[in-house]
Amino acid sequence: MEVTPTAKLAAKELFRTWGRKPRVVRHWDERENYSIAVAECENSPIDGVTAVGTVGLSDHDLGMGPVRVELIGAFPAVFEHGPNVAATCAFNAFKDGVHTRPDAIHRHVLSLYMPKPMLPHIMMIDPFLWHEGPETLVCDDFQVAWLMMMPISEKERLFAEQKGPDVLTSLFEKHQIDIYDLFRASVA
């Protein structure tokens, strides 16, 4: 598959954000009809954590006008499925029409890669783990914004739906959660 100019911009921004060249692997859906490239970088943003990011999700119009998105996240290095989580969220967005914008929740993503996960869902939030990015990309006809994939529990998902995602993120800050701990206790 040919790499689009927008995907190249996304890859360059990940390289800039992570400070080194990531490994990029193409992931296919179960029927091998659709694919998405996912970059990964070990020990970013800290040792023992692997950063992942989509490269090419922004080639798909997700119905947000002049804004397209790419995804970024960070998972413990021992969890080998971080790139798969990013690919699944991308497929949810462009294949299945799952909302992929700030505060949107992709349900049961980690359930595909862990038996009975404590944090089965992914909530999309503004990236904050990397001090120098990723930055919004400006293209000819649209901008590419970045969303960070944040694992959340079922109780947290319900709480976000009832009280609002902003209240949930305030709880995360109040409790100083370990964002890299896939086995952390729910704050809701």
Side-chain angles (χ1 to χ4, degrees), residues 40-61:
E40 66 179 300
C41 185
E42 295 177 356
N43 298 314
S44 178
I46 62 172
D47 288 345
V49 172
T50 300
V52 298
T54 58
V55 177
L57 177 57
S58 56
D59 291 330
H60 301 275
D61 183 350

Side-chain angles (χ1 to χ4, degrees), residues 23 25 27 38 40 42 48-52 75-86 110 113-114 182-183:
R23 182 174 82 115
V25 175
H27 293 255
V38 178
E40 66 179 300
E42 295 177 356
V49 172
T50 300
V52 298
F75 297 92
V78 296
F79 179 67
E80 299 174 352
H81 299 289
N84 295 352
V85 170
L110 269 75
Y113 306 106
M114 299 174 75
L182 297 179
F183 300 98

Side-chain angles (χ1 to χ4, degrees), residues 56-156:
L57 177 57
S58 56
D59 291 330
H60 301 275
D61 183 350
L62 302 180
M64 294 186 285
V67 177
R68 306 267 179 108
V69 298
E70 293 286 353
L71 305 177
I72 193 168
F75 297 92
V78 296
F79 179 67
E80 299 174 352
H81 299 289
N84 295 352
V85 170
T88 297
C89 289
F91 292 140
N92 286 348
F94 75 82
K95 273 182 50 184
D96 303 328
V98 175
H99 288 288
T100 306
R101 55 190 60 178
D103 302 329
I105 296 173
H106 287 226
R107 296 177 64 173
H108 304 292
V109 176
L110 269 75
S111 301
L112 298 171
Y113 306 106
M114 299 174 75
K116 298 182 182 177
M118 300 284 295
L119 309 171
H121 312 297
I122 295 290
M123 186 165 85
M124 301 297 171
I125 62 175
D126 289 327
F128 63 88
L129 294 175
W130 299 270
H131 301 293
E132 298 298 322
E135 294 183 3
T136 299
L137 305 172
V138 178
C139 301
D140 290 337
D141 299 327
F142 53 87
Q143 293 185 345
V144 179
W146 294 86
L147 293 173
M148 191 170 89
M149 300 170 287
M150 167 77 175
I152 64 170
S153 71
E154 175 65 9
K155 287 182 181 177
E156 290 165 346

